[in-house]
Amino acid sequence: MKDSLLKAFFVYAYSFVVVFMFNSLLMVILMKLGLVPLIGTILSYIITPVALFFAYKISVKKFLGMPVDEKRIPKAWLFQFIPFFIISLILFWLLAGLIKQPSLAVFIFLNLELLVIYITFKLSVEKVLKPER
């Protein structure tokens, strides 16, 4: 199960990176079009959870290596996403206050995000999706 848990996590983590890159590209395009940055922020707040839900669903169904009750996937994703989101906000504000160089702050933030994603992903699988014995 450990190897399949890692496979499922890597699919989900890479999806997070792709969504982050897509949101960044979207923000740049919208700013070049002269639109208010708030529009890009709102779109990224809509796109990110939806994309991450489907990435979570695909990763646990195809790569987890165990049968998964499809009805439990939304609960498991919420169990992963809500703590991840809260911890991410805290990390972002903490790093933004401590590190004045934006590129270094983003680098550290994204690496810490992967650690947080792994921990919350693993807990959601073990607590919600793992079949009861």
Side-chain angles (χ1 to χ4, degrees):
M1 159 108 170
K2 182 126 176 107
D3 291 335
S4 55
L5 176 69
L6 284 176
K7 287 178 191 175
F9 162 71
F10 284 132
V11 169
Y12 188 64
Y14 285 127
S15 300
F16 170 78
V17 172
V18 169
V19 169
F20 186 83
M21 289 174 20
F22 176 78
N23 285 339
S24 299
L25 178 65
L26 182 65
M27 292 287 272
V28 169
I29 291 171
L30 291 175
M31 289 172 71
K32 288 207 183 260
L33 292 174
L35 297 173
V36 180
L38 180 64
I39 295 171
T41 303
I42 291 170
L43 284 175
S44 70
Y45 282 138
I46 293 169
I47 293 168
T48 301
V50 173
L52 288 180
F53 171 74
F54 286 109
Y56 186 91
K57 186 175 181 177
I58 290 168
S59 67
V60 297
K61 282 178 65 179
K62 296 200 185 271
F63 299 102
L64 196 54
M66 67 179 203
V68 175
D69 182 7
E70 188 140 352
K71 294 176 188 171
R72 299 180 95 178
I73 291 175
K75 180 181 177 183
W77 177 75
L78 286 172
F79 193 84
Q80 185 277 325
F81 185 75
I82 292 171
F84 161 72
F85 182 75
I86 293 168
I87 294 168
S88 295
L89 287 176
I90 294 168
L91 279 175
F92 178 78
W93 290 114
L94 182 67
L95 289 172
L98 292 175
I99 301 172
K100 299 302 178 197
Q101 187 178 6
S103 59
L104 179 61
V106 169
F107 175 76
I108 293 171
F109 174 70
L110 290 177
N111 282 290
L112 289 173
E113 286 286 275
L114 289 176
L115 178 64
V116 171
I117 289 174
Y118 176 72
I119 292 168
T120 57
F121 184 85
K122 183 177 179 184
L123 285 173
S124 73
V125 168
E126 290 176 354
K127 301 285 184 190
V128 181
L129 292 180
K130 198 171 188 180
E132 311 213 1
R133 293 179 184 169

